[in-house]
Amino acid sequence: MKRAIALLPFYLFTLLPLNAQTEALRKLNIAELAVYNLYVDSVDENKLVEDAIRGMLEKLDPHSSYSTPKEVKSMNEPLAGNFEGIGVQYNMIDDTLMVIQPIAGGPSERVGIMAGDRIVTVNDTAIAGVKMSRDEIMRRLRGAKGTKVRLGVARNGIKGNLEFTVVRDKIPVKSVDATYMIRPGIGYIRIGSFGATTHDEFMESLNRLNAEGMTHLILDLQENGGGYLQAAVRIADEFLGRDDLIVYTDGRRSPRTDYKATGNGAFMNGKVVVLVDGYTASAAEIVTGAIQDHDRGMVVGRRTFGKGLVQRPVNLPDGSMIRLTVSHYYTPSGRCIQKPYKKGDSKDYAMDMLNRLKSGELTNADSVHFADSLKYLTLKKQRTVYGGGGIMPDFFVPLDTTRYTKFHRELSAKGLIINANLRYIDKQRKTLVKTYPTFESFNATFEIPKSVTDGIIKEAEKQGIKPKDDNELATTLTYLRLQMKALIARDLWDMSHYFQVINESSDIVKKGIEVLNYEL
């Protein structure tokens, strides 16, 4: 009897009217029912369905994907421009959460939590020194807007723990990483991703730089992995003339859609340089391609990632999501810059950057080869540009492979640099604030003490990490000192000041300044 009941769904399903689609769906449903009802061991039906979905998508392009409800929430937060929590920038040091900076105007700052504080308890539960995972700590700290959380805080110079009750609130997530005047008359804006608030942040940056005397702009899109297409369209719109095509999308079931400039842009006249690298992708490539195709500005750096596929989110009842590729996007000249891929071969696709390095492309522009069929012309000056695999910059900047030594990479991978930075800023914050009341004074005279870098090298040696020779050590220390200075500037002020320090050593940034000065 039990067996007959178990087989009943199969019988009912055979009554469905047949066509190609329902026959395929019936086959899939019968397979799932068979496994769930007849398999020798018990199975997790939800996981069974998730695995089936992933199996289907894995045979498509590299950007169609499935995300669990938890992954969807994590993925959407930076693009939505906010999350709900206590409002601190933090890092972990010795299994303890240390506050780098409270978010200005956020709930933690409002109750008096300060940079350098250690959060040791949450609602009377210890989170410090108990090997609690970072995800679990974040789960306890985050929560719905308006809810309260009690925090036990250890502060240098204060005996015992302080207690604060924080009312959680919406916390902004910034997508513009840096804004400052990099040279007289030249503004610099770095966009880290394209989210819901990117355009508003960008306009705020433009207005600030205009007030400081900006006439020309460096737009830094290095390592920008993309985001919302509409956000990219709004940014590109600020540079282009009325009815200039920004991008268009076209797919098998998605008719062509054109996105055009309104002609009311806030930066229509000044010179523009866009900085890119191999991790500049998707929405960032849309902005880059529009500016290049309309000869609105010069592109500096290395060939971009090459993601020319548009994904449509398909929300599922349990909060999970399928991101399904539904169309290609094309730059104004008609280029599809999606790099080649084999359906179902995500491994080879993921190895593309390593393959570029091995081929010599990252160090030599002549190693990049495009077929004649991929040639296009820009729309005003009729310059040759290429499709079929990222956007090739107008000015190529080779990767300096000697600067980032193997020794430095190992120090970073082991967390030795960030941990040394956290310990130094923790002990010296008050002295640093008193000695350097402004970033300008810090930037002009601060040097990381030799004792700090010596400590990093000594700790590395304990872990069996050593430079191969004195030359590698000297090269590593040169960049390490600069990196440490930039990290300290970030912790004392903000991320914009980090880039203000580090950019002075960037070959791509320096080339961008050179191109702008030449173009002037």
Side-chain angles (χ1 to χ4, degrees), residues 261-299:
T262 62
N264 299 316
F267 200 80
M268 304 281 285
N269 299 314
K271 301 288 186 180
V272 182
V273 161
V274 183
L275 308 183
V276 300
D277 62 12
Y279 299 99
T280 302
S282 189
E285 291 174 296
I286 288 174
V287 175
T288 305
I291 289 175
Q292 186 181 55
D293 280 5
H294 285 289
D295 295 294
R296 177 65 185 86
M298 293 289 110
V299 179

Side-chain angles (χ1 to χ4, degrees), residues 22 99 101 130 155 182 199 245 252 254 273 288 304 307 317 330 356 359 361 370 390:
T22 56
V99 176
Q101 291 283 357
V130 293
R155 180 175 294 170
I182 195 166
H199 182 259
L245 181 62
R252 180 177 68 93
S254 302
V273 161
T288 305
T304 62
K307 180 180 181 294
Y330 299 83
R356 293 189 195 188
S359 71
E361 173 187 331
F370 294 98

Side-chain angles (χ1 to χ4, degrees), residues 212-258:
E212 295 178 18
M214 176 181 68
T215 52
H216 308 290
L217 176 66
I218 292 176
L219 179 62
D220 192 346
L221 300 181
Q222 294 179 85
E223 299 180 4
N224 184 317
Y228 294 149
L229 180 147
Q230 194 59 48
V233 168
R234 294 187 71 190
I235 296 296
D237 189 16
E238 301 301 337
F239 298 95
L240 301 177
R242 184 175 180 81
D243 289 330
D244 281 351
L245 181 62
I246 294 171
V247 65
Y248 68 90
T249 61
D250 198 10
R252 180 177 68 93
R253 292 292 182 91
S254 302
R256 172 168 169 159
T257 303
D258 291 0

